């Protein structure tokens, strides 16, 4: 992965909040099946812990997660499926909730300086998002995977109108999204040795 691209995310995690721009990471984990999940055990090899043998074909579930690294706040929602309609509605609600906690944005006095703040976060990606002719004050950076559904024009325009710039992780660089780390922790703690009976 190009160093310049990595540097963009390092700046987002280290400097953005200090410059008055909040950060939010979002990711979807799953699919999780309703099957026994082996747990970590200290049992001797000859007497390993046993799990139920049933393979319940009762559906799957996904875990939607948003993380605000500066505060450590994590919000999750379990869903049985995750088409764009469900993800986008939920993400809009979460973004609105985070924006409501931020100070009201100052009016844009100098459009050129404001545009420079937005375009700064485009340094690195080969494919850049086309910014609007008139931009509101930049308030939030959303770190997000580079999936096709995340590039939906209606959603991106909705985010821009609220002062949210999307930083798409590059292919093979999903580790740059801190929400993935939180999901691994949640998955290990929630499913370790458990036997969920239904997708709910």
């Amino acid at each position: 992965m190009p160093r310049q691209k990595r540097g963009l995310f390092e700046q987002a995690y280290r400097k953005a909040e200090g410059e008055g721009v909040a950060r939010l990471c979002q990711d979807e984990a799953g699919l999780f099946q309703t099957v026994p999940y082996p747990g970590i055990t200290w049992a001797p090899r000859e007497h390993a812990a046993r799990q139920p043998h049933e393979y319940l074909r009762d559906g799957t579930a996904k875990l939607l997660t948003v993380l605000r690294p500066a505060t450590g706040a994590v919000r999750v929602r379990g869903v049985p499926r995750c088409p764009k309609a469900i993800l986008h509605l939920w993400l809009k609600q979460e973004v609105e909730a985070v924006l409501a906690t931020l100070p009201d944005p100052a009016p844009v006095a100098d459009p050129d300086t404001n545009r420079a703040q937005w375009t700064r976060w485009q340094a690195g990606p080969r494919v850049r998002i086309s910014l609007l002719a008139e931009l509101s004050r930049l308030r939030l950076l959303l770190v997000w995977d580079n999936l096709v559904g995340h590039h939906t024009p209606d959603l991106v325009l909705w985010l821009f109108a609220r002062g949210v710039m999307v930083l798409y992780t590059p292919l093979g660089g999903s580790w740059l999204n801190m929400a993935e780390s939180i999901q691994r922790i949640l998955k290990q703690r929630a499913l370790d040795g458990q036997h969920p009976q239904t997708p709910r």
Side-chain angles (χ1 to χ4, degrees), residues 26-43:
Q26 193 281 321
D27 197 29
E28 311 89 50
L31 298 166
F32 299 115
Q33 297 180 338
T34 55
V35 296
Y37 285 82
I40 298 171
T41 179
W42 287 98

Side-chain angles (χ1 to χ4, degrees), residues 138-149:
L138 181 61
R139 302 180 69 200
L140 180 71
L141 296 176
L142 173 62
V143 178
W144 216 8
D145 290 345
N146 203 348
L147 300 175
V148 173

